[in-house]
Amino acid sequence: RDAGLVDVVTLQEMKDGLESGFWRRSLCDYNQRFKAKVKFVLGEGMEPVLVSQTAHVKGWQSSDPMTTGSTVWDAALLISMHLASNRAAVAGCRVLELGAGTGAAGLVAKRLGAEEVVMTDLPSMVA
């Protein structure tokens, strides 16, 4: 596993790409895609959020490099993009992320000013 591999996602570039009809999340191959750390670049002057993915979770049996709960899914990127575009929707609020997995959306919400963030998932994911 290449612990140094980082998949950088700039939320503004993602938004612009989606509006134009073309956006590709990662140039990594399939195995790397699910092992690379994901760096969320939120915007000018904001510290990015770095989220780790893992191919192996205790008690999970699979030869597939993708483990559902330990993968940053595109839905988390879209939610993060929405929150970054609508900071007032989260600033000062309490946020609950159900089935958080890597916790990407919750971490982004906290970085954007959420007062409190609670993230939940299966015991094997939060241990």
Side-chain angles (χ1 to χ4, degrees), residues 9-46:
V9 177
T10 303
L11 296 181
Q12 185 59 52
E13 288 177 5
M14 179 181 158
K15 182 178 179 184
D16 294 344
L18 290 171
E19 287 173 356
S20 72
F22 178 78
W23 177 76
R24 181 171 177 182
R25 177 208 169 146
S26 177
L27 297 176
C28 297
D29 68 24
Y30 183 75
N31 283 317
Q32 291 175 332
R33 151 69 176 89
F34 297 105
K35 295 177 184 175
K37 292 179 181 178
V38 179
K39 183 178 186 178
F40 291 75
V41 179
L42 302 175
E44 191 74 31
M46 295 200 69

Side-chain angles (χ1 to χ4, degrees), residues 5-115:
L5 186 62
V6 177
D7 192 4
V8 178
V9 177
T10 303
L11 296 181
Q12 185 59 52
E13 288 177 5
M14 179 181 158
K15 182 178 179 184
D16 294 344
L18 290 171
E19 287 173 356
S20 72
F22 178 78
W23 177 76
R24 181 171 177 182
R25 177 208 169 146
S26 177
L27 297 176
C28 297
D29 68 24
Y30 183 75
N31 283 317
Q32 291 175 332
R33 151 69 176 89
F34 297 105
K35 295 177 184 175
K37 292 179 181 178
V38 179
K39 183 178 186 178
F40 291 75
V41 179
L42 302 175
E44 191 74 31
M46 295 200 69
E47 187 177 341
V49 173
L50 185 64
V51 178
S52 293
Q53 302 183 104
T54 183
H56 302 286
V57 175
K58 186 177 178 181
W60 184 270
Q61 302 296 324
S62 177
S63 61
D64 192 333
M66 176 199 70
T67 303
T68 304
S70 63
T71 299
V72 176
W73 293 101
D74 289 350
L77 299 175
L78 290 169
I79 290 169
S80 297
M81 182 183 68
H82 174 75
L83 294 175
S85 297
N86 301 284
R87 293 181 185 178
V90 71
C93 294
R94 294 169 50 192
V95 174
L96 172 64
E97 185 180 5
L98 302 172
T102 62
L107 293 170
V108 167
K110 185 65 176 175
R111 183 64 46 91
L112 294 172
E115 180 181 320

